[in-house]
Structures are given as structure tokens and as C-alpha cells.
Amino acid sequence: MHVDEWLQTIPAVWVYVLVGAVVGLESLGIPLPGEIVLVSAALLSAKGVVSPVLVGICASSGAIVGDSIGYAIGRKGGRALFDRLGRRFPKHFGPAHLAKAEQMFTRWGMWAVFFGRFVALLRILAGPLAGALHMPYWRFLVANVLGGALWAGGTTAGVYYLGVVADRWLKNFSWAGLAVAIAFGLASTLWLKRKAAKAVAVEEPETAEPVSAR
């Protein structure tokens, strides 16, 4: 069963709770599909099942609170915390991932927290890593609130309006037009994935070296 189909089987109030909880836990540093749950809930709002405003508010709150808790955990646990997480979750907290995230923090500072909300890797690492690197909390909080609100609210609004437009579009166009649109979308997605894979393949050897040398 797909996520959005599963969400339709539970009461609306629990959809809001689930969105806030999953996004919050992901922001705290636990690798969960926060973005998938948010997009699915936003699609439900386009169908009138839940309110897009409440979905955005719950997701924003979860993102901000989760990141803040993650910051506190990272501040207390330090680098030793990431060493333990790297051994337990190598696909998410491995040396290459950590080195790449730390490189972005060193270069961008608080803006890494802001823009990290839009990147899957940094969305999990931003809070704990900012705490472990002892970023001043007020700077972290500003970037956290702005990034969390923009990511959650923007994603909800974008998916909601696209869902509404798509529903109207499908009522007015033929199945042939739908097939062409789907084919174009799949081709674009595959092209972007290949470009991203090439970029990661080039960057990972460079970012892995400093960590292995420690």
C-alpha cells in the first residue's frame, strides 16, 4: 500500500500528528521518510481529505522542534556521537556523508542549516552536527526556523496547488496527453538522477580522505 493510500485510512487529526512526528524525528537525526510523508499529506490536502494549512503548520513545527532537539543532542554527544552512529547506520552517517556535511558547514555556517533543510543528507545531519560543531544557538535557531518554515510550507503549498491543477488537467485532456506527460517526467527524473550520481561519484573520494586520516 502506498503512503498516501495508507494515510487516507486514518482520521485527519492523526495525519497531522503523523506528519509532525515523522518530520520531527527525521530532523532530530533519525533516518525516516519525512519528505515522502509530507508530500503524501499535501496530496491528500489537494483532494480535500485534510487541510493544507494544518499540514504545513504541523510539518514546520516538527522540523523546527526536531532540529532543536537534534542540536542539543549533538552539543552534548559531540563527535563521539557521530562515530557511534556511523558504525550503526553507515548508509546515513558514514565517514563520506559526515565529511561532506561538515565541509558544507565549514563553508556556509548557519546557511548550511537553512539550505540543509532542502537536502536529504543535511536534513538528517543539520541539527546534531550544528550542535557537535558548537554553532551559536541563536544563529542555529534563526536558520532553523526560516529553513523549516520555508521547506515545510513551500513543499505543502507547491504540492497542494500542483495536485489541484493536475486534477483539473486530467479531466480536460486525453489519456494520450497524460502518457506523454508521464514519459517526459520520467525522462527528466532519470536524467537528473544520472547527473546527481556523477556529481556524488566525483565528490565522495575527495570528502572521504580527511575523515579516514583522523
Side-chain angles (χ1 to χ4, degrees):
M1 182 181 290
H2 198 271
V3 175
D4 60 348
E5 295 176 347
W6 176 68
L7 289 175
Q8 289 186 62
T9 65
I10 61 178
V13 65
W14 287 108
V15 173
Y16 305 133
V17 172
L18 185 65
V19 169
V22 173
V23 170
L25 289 172
E26 182 192 40
S27 302
L28 190 152
I30 299 174
L32 291 175
E35 191 167 37
I36 294 175
V37 172
L38 174 59
V39 170
S40 298
L43 284 173
L44 289 183
S45 71
K47 300 176 183 179
V49 178
V50 293
S51 165
V53 175
L54 291 179
V55 169
I57 290 174
C58 291
S60 300
S61 301
I64 294 168
V65 173
D67 257 352
S68 296
I69 296 174
Y71 174 92
I73 293 174
R75 184 105 180 179
K76 184 176 181 180
R79 293 301 300 266
L81 171 66
F82 287 96
D83 292 337
R84 292 195 298 270
L85 289 174
R87 290 192 295 269
R88 175 168 285 187
F89 304 105
K91 292 184 178 181
H92 298 92
F93 299 100
H97 299 95
L98 183 59
K100 186 175 182 180
E102 188 171 351
Q103 184 183 48
M104 294 186 69
F105 267 78
T106 302
R107 183 176 182 183
W108 299 106
M110 64 182 289
W111 291 109
V113 177
F114 177 83
F115 290 112
R117 175 51 57 183
F118 301 87
V119 181
L121 170 65
L122 281 181
R123 189 158 54 244
I124 299 173
L125 289 173
L129 190 56
L133 295 176
H134 294 278
M135 175 183 291
Y137 182 69
W138 71 266
R139 297 179 65 190
F140 169 80
L141 183 62
V142 170
N144 178 30
V145 171
L146 293 177
L150 184 60
W151 172 76
T155 299
T156 302
V159 173
Y160 170 77
Y161 286 112
L162 282 174
V164 172
V165 171
D167 185 60
R168 295 173 181 171
W169 186 82
L170 290 174
K171 290 178 180 178
N172 297 325
F173 286 81
S174 65
W175 286 105
L178 174 61
V180 171
I182 292 175
F184 178 78
L186 288 174
S188 302
T189 301
L190 289 174
W191 181 80
L192 287 172
K193 284 186 175 181
R194 287 183 180 179
K195 295 290 286 185
K198 288 181 180 179
V200 171
V202 171
E203 291 181 8
E204 280 191 347
E206 297 178 356
T207 55
E209 288 180 2
V211 176
S212 60
R214 291 178 183 176

